[in-house]
Amino acid sequence: MEALFALVVGVLTASGIYLLLRGRTFPVIVGLALLGYAVNLFLFSTGGLNTHAAAVIGESITPTDPLPQALVLTAIVIGFSMTAFVVILAIRARSDLGSDHVDGQQGEEGDALR
């Protein structure tokens, strides 16, 4: 279970970094979201990957730590609001600059077809 969890976090991190290095705004936004999901999974795993364990002390022999669960829920809400803000910011930048490149420049003529 831990190896699969680590693999998923690694794949999310790698694909998020790959998308962050793209030249357009939408892949950068998706890359930031994927990195946020990877961090959320990592925070969730710090509480221990116990199956059939309650988060309430006294309900099971080995209870799980509820603090990482609370941190992940908070991070999900903050991540969603920041993603919505960055999407609106990218739409505004696209309308003002006339281009969706991260650096604001048009780039090569072949980029328009991609």
Side-chain angles (χ1 to χ4, degrees):
M1 180 74 170
E2 288 86 7
L4 177 66
F5 213 78
L7 180 69
V8 168
V9 170
V11 167
L12 282 174
T13 303
S15 58
I17 290 173
Y18 173 75
L19 288 173
L20 274 178
L21 298 176
R22 305 296 295 168
R24 306 253 180 186
T25 54
F26 184 70
V28 170
I29 293 170
V30 173
L32 283 173
L34 287 178
L35 277 177
Y37 297 148
V39 169
N40 288 343
L41 285 176
F42 177 72
L43 284 176
F44 188 72
S45 68
T46 60
L49 299 175
N50 298 334
T51 57
H52 306 298
V56 179
I57 297 174
E59 294 293 322
S60 65
I61 298 171
T62 58
T64 59
D65 189 13
L67 182 63
Q69 296 173 7
L71 287 174
V72 168
L73 286 175
T74 305
I76 288 171
V77 171
I78 292 171
F80 180 73
S81 63
M82 287 304 297
T83 302
F85 175 73
V86 170
V87 166
I88 296 300
L89 192 63
I91 291 171
R92 176 66 187 256
R94 168 79 170 108
S95 67
D96 286 349
L97 298 174
S99 172
D100 66 340
H101 286 270
V102 175
D103 59 0
Q105 297 176 0
Q106 183 58 28
E108 299 176 11
E109 292 183 23
D111 286 344
L113 300 176
R114 292 182 192 167

